[in-house]
Amino acid sequence: MTTLKAVRGTRDLLPPETALWNRIEATARSVFARYNFGEIRTPVFEDTSLFARGVGEETDIVSKEMYTWSDGERFNEKRIIDEWVKANQSDDPSRVQAGRVNVQGNPLFLARLNGLGVQLQVWRGVQVRPNFLSGHVEFVSFRPGVSADAIERLIQARELAKSDPESQTQQFPIRLRLVIPMSGELGSWIDMKDVILEPFAGRFFDSAQSLTLRPENTAGVVRAYIEHQLGESGQLQKLYYIGPQFRRERPQKGRYRQFSQIGAEVIGPPSAGSESPLRDAEVLEMLATLLDELGITGWTLHLNSVGSAADRARYNETLRAALVPLAPQMCADCQRRAVTNPLRVLDCKVLADQPIIDTLPVIADSLDESSRTHFAAVLAALDAAGVPYTRNNRLVRGLDYYTRTTFEFTHDGLGAQNALLGGGRYDGLSEAIGGPKAPGIGFAMGEDRLVLTLMAQELAPPQVADAYIAPLGENLNPAALSLARELRRAGLSVDLGDGSFRLKKSFDAANKAARNIVILGEDELQSGILTVKTFATGIQTKVIRAELACFLSTPATE
Ligand code: HAM
């Protein structure tokens, strides 16, 4: 049998690396809390059209990199029941009218019927005199098609009614009815017994839905903002998230098909100040603080403004014209982009094209007055806060929703995939997916890349326990567990050996896993004085059990 492996572009994260992941997440949560952000968790898959409309159909992410599938058509049981009841129910629920029904039944008994796939118990009859009904009870099952199982279970339900004291139907005839959509499956020959088959007209199959594993989380957050009417509060929403994203890119160092992002979004109605350049500067200042607290040194903040949608359209045309004489000397991708989407030429990584790209007009010259003023105010606030940045005219970002401020933090230690994080303003995104005006700004950090950077800086502490307990003999295993419990409750991290190990094996195992080894023999147990060896110093110490936790938590001194 071939052995199964993690799928290309995905990977397992193992200790001790996971300790670093946890430290990064804990630091991020603590910084977000200080800036008064709350956590949002959105589903990992969404309707495909969210990304098509939000991120943009023409982007690489949407056109080439999404994991998309069709979620098959579904029988909508609730809808067929509701419509059938509406079509059949008596106008006067207190009385039964000829040919019509009243939905009835003792809830206890109905629950039992439900267990047999029978969703309704109805009365069908006429009221002959007050307090005298002539008619019958019907058990009704709603299914996507006819099946022997449905018929069998209806018959079982009738059997149950005869014997169940809760049924209250003993004195009436019981008929059985199977309702299926007119377009439902009839199958080949099935004995209907005495079950009435009723094909019911209407659309009771929900059509297949196209779903996509989220390639990024901004569109999902804005979808949630709209769905839960978070703008109604009139306040700015400051939301952060930590979680997996999925893109079908060519895997390489720092680029995976499942990767994790730590991101945050500030979004709200314009009256809450969501358009203010101070929001942009505050988010960037928070990022500088977060990277500093994570211990990531040597980052560069690249900053640009892509202006309003109108500014960008104008710039696209300027670029298109400028590229006409230049494109034939450029790479094949650029030749295509020069026609379809000139802005994307600025993303080109081909070395030979760089001197040509450097001669192209810059977007700063296409910005209108209000975009210029906005950007100048962002820069002034960053200068005042002492956050260093580099203006980068070529930073246009690969997602269509950006307006005005865009940014990336890069780190040279990362190699080709050098973007630690990216983000920007998206003032029209909410409207693009059917919501109210809700300008916003945010970012997402590649958590995998933060880990790579920290590992390259050798800041990952090796994970070792405070103590390893070595019981001398299997009869001491229970006492060893009890001692481990005591120490763990005191907040220490403890590994537990086994009494079947020889002392040498215990020492070897302890030396790899912990700072100290605690020997637990019969004598130690009786006297309450334990022998502890500290590996860093090689010193062996006798410690009273009551003082053991304190001794083990003190770092060794040479
Ligand atoms: P993005 O630039 O597509 O922006 O991704 C943000 C970060 O996610 C990148 O800088 C990188 O660190 C990481 N990343 C992206 N793709 C991969 C990958 N295949 N493997 C590993 N890491 C990766 C966004 O996703 C926007 N939603 C950011 C944003 C939030 N803009 C406004 N709000």
Side-chain angles (χ1 to χ4, degrees), residues 32 46 48 74 88 153 173 191 214-215 237 266 322-323 340 346 348 354 393 428 457 466 476 502 557:
F32 290 144
E46 300 264 3
T48 305
R74 288 263 162 73
N88 287 276
R153 283 152 74 93
D191 182 359
R214 62 183 187 196
Q237 301 295 312
V266 180
L323 280 165
T340 56
L346 303 183
C348 175
Q354 303 310 307
N393 282 317
Q457 290 181 201
D466 295 311
L476 288 159
R502 287 168 177 277
T557 45

Side-chain angles (χ1 to χ4, degrees), residues 416-432:
Q417 300 305 316
N418 69 349
L420 269 179
L421 68 94
R425 193 165 257 295
Y426 43 86
D427 292 346
L429 176 55
S430 171
E431 288 112 305

Side-chain angles (χ1 to χ4, degrees), residues 325-359:
L326 300 172
Q329 306 147 45
M330 302 179 80
C331 71
D333 273 345
C334 281
Q335 294 188 19
R336 182 176 42 80
R337 293 173 184 141
V339 182
T340 56
N341 195 351
L343 209 62
R344 294 269 84 87
V345 167
L346 303 183
D347 293 337
C348 175
K349 297 275 189 309
V350 175
L351 216 56
D353 288 353
Q354 303 310 307
I356 303 176
I357 296 172
D358 286 340
T359 66

Side-chain angles (χ1 to χ4, degrees), residues 274-355:
S274 56
E275 272 174 307
S276 164
L278 187 55
R279 299 282 76 79
D280 310 39
E282 192 185 15
V283 161
L284 289 164
E285 186 279 321
M286 174 170 81
L287 276 167
T289 300
L290 177 52
L291 290 176
D292 288 348
E293 292 198 11
L294 286 170
I296 292 182
T297 50
W299 46 262
T300 308
L301 160 56
H302 300 259
L303 202 56
N304 194 19
S305 173
V306 294
S308 63
D311 293 342
R312 239 186 0 269
R314 204 165 28 223
Y315 180 54
N316 235 345
E317 288 324 303
T318 311
L319 267 188
R320 198 187 300 278
L323 280 165
V324 171
L326 300 172
Q329 306 147 45
M330 302 179 80
C331 71
D333 273 345
C334 281
Q335 294 188 19
R336 182 176 42 80
R337 293 173 184 141
V339 182
T340 56
N341 195 351
L343 209 62
R344 294 269 84 87
V345 167
L346 303 183
D347 293 337
C348 175
K349 297 275 189 309
V350 175
L351 216 56
D353 288 353
Q354 303 310 307

Side-chain angles (χ1 to χ4, degrees), residues 127-133:
Q127 179 134 20
V128 180
R129 287 200 304 273
N131 301 327
F132 186 86
L133 294 169

Side-chain angles (χ1 to χ4, degrees), residues 9 11 55 61 65 215-219 241 245-266 397-399 401-402 407-409 414 417-426 429 440-450:
R11 60 214 177 105
V55 176
I61 294 180
E65 298 170 0
E216 63 97 57
N217 211 15
T218 308
Y241 49 84
Q245 319 292 331
F246 306 85
R247 293 184 195 174
R248 202 169 182 290
E249 293 188 90
R250 201 164 46 76
Q252 64 181 83
K253 182 181 168 220
R255 189 162 72 190
Y256 310 99
R257 292 182 167 183
Q258 174 174 338
F259 59 98
S260 178
Q261 282 186 342
I262 300 179
E265 313 291 347
V266 180
R397 308 264 307 132
L399 300 90
Y401 50 62
Y402 289 115
F407 56 86
E408 266 175 23
F409 282 67
L414 278 168
Q417 300 305 316
N418 69 349
L420 269 179
L421 68 94
R425 193 165 257 295
Y426 43 86
L429 176 55
I441 178 159
F443 65 86
M445 332 176 72
E447 198 177 355
D448 306 71
R449 297 186 189 175
L450 292 177

Side-chain angles (χ1 to χ4, degrees), residues 139 177 273 383 486 497 524 531:
F139 292 168
R177 181 180 293 270
D383 289 337
E486 205 173 292
E524 283 82 0
T531 308

